[in-house]
Amino acid sequence: MLPKKLHKKLENRKTSNSFRQLGEPNNLIDFSSNDYLGFSKSESIFKRTHDYLIDNNSIQNGSTGSRLLSGNNTLYSSVETQICNYHQSEAALVFNSGYNANLGLLSCVPQRGDLIIYDELCHASIRDGIQMSNAKGYKFKHNDLEDLASHLERSRELSSENDIYVITESVFSMDGDTPDLNRLIQLSESYNVHLIIDEAHAIGVFGQGLVSGSIFARVITFGKALGCHGAAILGSKDLIDYLINFSRPFIYTTALSPHELATIKSAYEALENSKNVEELHQNILFFNKEIERLKLSDAFIKSTSAIHGCIISGNDKVKQLSLQLKDKGFDVKPILSPTVPKEKERLRLCLHSYNSQEEISEVLSLIATFVNS
Ligand SMILES: Cc1ncc(COP(=O)(O)O)c(C=O)c1O
C-alpha cells in the first residue's frame, strides 16, 4: 500500500488536472519532440555509427563500470577531443545526461559561503543541482539583467571573499527565448563572477551554441538537436580535473556504452555539413511570419529558436486545446502548472527541419481559431 501522504499527493494532482501519465508512441505530426534536426531518425547517422563500431572491432554492449573503474572505453577521449574542437573549449567531460551534468556541476563546484544567482525559469536539473550544493541560491527575474545586476551589487557588498556563480540558459526550454548574452558576459566580467550557461536547446540549432569558450562553464546536451543521448560540461582543464575528483553524479554511475559514444561522434560529424540546420531556420522564419498573419503575436512568447510557447492559461483549457489538435493529427504538448507557473500554462510547439510549411500553417490556424474565439 502506498503511504497515505503519497496517496494524497497523487489525488491532489488528479483534482488539479495535472496528473502525469506516460503517453504511447504515435504517428502524429511532430510539433513536440526535441529532435529539431531529425537526427534521431537519421539512417546515415545510424549506419555511420554501426560501421565505426564494426571497423574498430568494438563489439561491446555495455561499458562495464564507472569511468574511474572499468568504463572509460577508448571512444571517450576521442569524443571529448572532437567536442573540444567543435566548441572551441580547452576541455570537456561527457556525462550520462544533461540532468546529470547540471547536478554534477552545481552540487560540487559552488562551496559553502558561495552564492549562486540563477534565472527564475532555469530548468529543474539546474534548480536540483543548486539544492544539492552547500552554497546559497538566489533567483533573478527571468532574462532581467537589471535585476541580476542589483543582486550582484548586493552580493558584492555582502561578501568579498566568497565566489559568486551566475547560471542561466542560452535558449529557455519552456519559453524558447534568450537573454542578452553580450550584456550577461559583460556583467559577469565586471563583477568578477563565474558564468555558467546551459546550451541544451542552442547546440545544433545555432551551430556550436550561442556562447564561446571565454566563460567559466557551458553545459551541452546530446538528447535534443543531436538526436542521441548524453551531455558534456565544457570548461578549463582544471575544472574538468575537479569534476572527475568531486562530482558524484559523474563518479558513481556506469559510463556510457561505446555505441552511445559512437552515436554522439556520428551526430557531430553530421552536424558539420547538414542542410537540416538551414531548413530548420527557414521553418522558424516562416512560423514567426504566420503568427503575425494570424494575429497570434500576443499569445506567443517571442522566440527565434526552435521552441515556441503559446500561453493558454489554465490546465483544463490548455489540455483541451492539445486534445483538439491531436484529433486533427498534430502532436503539440500542453505544459501544465506546476511545471510552469500558474496562469502561464501553455502549448509548447517545437519546430523541426522536417516540418512542412503546410503543417505549420495548419496547426497555427487551428490554434488561432481557439485563441481568437
Ligand atoms: C535547459 C535544459 N538543461 C538540461 C536538460 C536535461 O538534459 P537531458 O535530457 O540530457 O537530461 C534539459 C532537458 O530537458 C534542458 O531543457
Side-chain angles (χ1 to χ4, degrees):
M1 257 283 270
L2 194 67
K4 251 193 196 153
K5 288 180 202 163
L6 309 195
H7 188 68
K8 189 159 183 289
K9 283 178 88 170
L10 274 184
E11 282 308 310
N12 286 345
R13 278 274 158 99
K14 286 178 186 161
T15 48
S16 63
N17 207 359
S18 56
F19 186 66
R20 291 170 169 144
Q21 280 169 300
L22 298 176
E24 296 291 324
N26 62 57
N27 287 321
L28 300 169
I29 296 164
D30 180 9
F31 281 105
S32 115
S33 80
N34 295 323
D35 189 19
Y36 307 123
L37 301 173
F39 278 16
S40 83
K41 296 184 181 70
S42 158
E43 258 184 68
S44 67
I45 292 176
F46 186 86
K47 189 165 181 317
R48 201 189 298 222
T49 302
H50 178 80
D51 292 348
Y52 180 88
L53 292 168
I54 299 294
D55 292 349
N56 288 276
N57 201 24
S58 186
I59 316 290
Q60 196 185 330
N61 298 316
S63 69
T64 80
S66 150
R67 284 187 73 181
L68 283 166
L69 299 173
S70 57
N72 196 34
N73 60 74
T74 51
L75 256 165
Y76 264 112
S77 72
S78 144
V79 166
E80 283 169 346
T81 304
Q82 182 185 22
I83 291 170
C84 284
N85 292 339
Y86 186 80
H87 294 277
Q88 294 162 333
S89 177
E90 186 181 312
L93 189 66
V94 168
F95 278 71
N96 288 3
S97 71
Y99 187 86
N100 256 22
N102 276 327
L103 288 196
L105 180 69
L106 294 164
S107 60
C108 75
V109 168
Q111 300 293 296
R112 194 176 299 285
D114 292 347
L115 299 179
I116 309 171
I117 308 178
Y118 63 101
D119 188 291
E120 63 183 346
L121 296 191
C122 273
H123 190 257
S125 55
I126 294 173
R127 287 183 279 120
D128 291 358
I130 294 170
Q131 283 230 322
M132 286 168 74
S133 130
N134 288 321
K136 270 212 166 96
Y138 294 98
K139 301 184 223 189
F140 64 92
K141 289 188 197 136
H142 179 54
N143 281 348
D144 184 340
L145 300 191
E146 293 320 306
D147 191 40
L148 171 63
S150 54
H151 274 283
L152 291 173
E153 197 56 45
R154 249 174 286 143
S155 310
R156 188 154 67 175
E157 284 160 14
L158 268 177
S159 137
S160 55
E161 281 160 36
N162 298 314
D163 287 295
I164 300 172
Y165 295 84
V166 169
I167 177 155
T168 188
E169 299 173 23
S170 57
V171 172
F172 274 82
S173 59
M174 291 297 150
D175 294 52
D177 55 356
T178 294
D180 178 345
L181 291 165
N182 288 334
R183 169 105 176 95
L184 185 61
I185 291 168
Q186 224 176 41
L187 266 180
S188 309
E189 283 167 0
S190 63
Y191 282 90
N192 198 22
V193 302
H194 308 294
L195 180 61
I196 302 170
I197 307 272
D198 181 327
E199 294 247 64
H201 296 277
I203 159 180
V205 174
F206 299 104
Q208 63 156 300
L210 290 171
V211 283
S212 68
S214 59
I215 67 170
F216 178 73
R218 287 175 278 170
V219 177
I220 54 169
T221 67
F222 311 133
K224 305 179 194 303
L226 266 73
C228 44
H229 196 253
I233 293 173
L234 312 179
S236 66
K237 172 86 176 67
D238 286 347
L239 173 64
I240 300 308
D241 281 343
Y242 180 82
L243 293 172
I244 292 170
N245 278 275
F246 293 102
S247 175
R248 296 170 71 85
F250 173 83
I251 299 167
Y252 297 106
T253 190
T254 302
L256 293 179
S257 68
H259 187 275
E260 287 168 301
L261 290 161
T263 309
I264 297 167
K265 187 174 165 51
S266 305
Y268 267 100
E269 283 163 12
L271 206 51
E272 298 275 5
N273 48 20
S274 171
K275 61 176 189 359
N276 303 24
V277 178
E278 177 53 31
E279 287 169 356
L280 171 63
H281 282 275
Q282 291 297 338
N283 278 344
I284 296 171
L285 272 178
F286 181 73
F287 186 92
N288 277 330
K289 279 193 192 138
E290 286 292 274
I291 285 180
E292 245 180 74
R293 182 180 70 80
L294 294 161
K295 307 200 174 5
L296 280 170
S297 306
D298 289 346
F300 272 88
I301 300 163
K302 247 191 166 9
S303 159
T304 51
S305 74
I307 301 167
H308 294 258
C310 180
I311 303 291
I312 310 277
S313 295
N315 282 348
D316 295 347
K317 235 172 134 184
V318 72
K319 264 185 150 176
Q320 186 197 340
L321 177 52
S322 166
L323 282 174
Q324 285 181 14
L325 294 172
K326 188 176 171 195
D327 283 342
K328 300 280 184 190
F330 295 100
D331 189 11
V332 183
K333 293 285 185 284
I335 308 292
L336 309 177
S337 58
T339 302
V340 288
K342 251 189 168 11
E343 308 298 318
K344 294 281 184 191
E345 294 86 356
R346 69 201 57 182
L347 286 180
R348 177 177 184 257
L349 288 99
C350 294
L351 302 182
H352 309 95
S353 54
Y354 50 85
N355 289 131
S356 70
Q357 297 201 339
E358 291 71 31
E359 290 167 355
I360 292 172
S361 293
E362 199 182 331
V363 77
L364 286 176
S365 300
L366 290 166
I367 293 172
T369 312
F370 188 94
V371 168
N372 299 328
S373 67

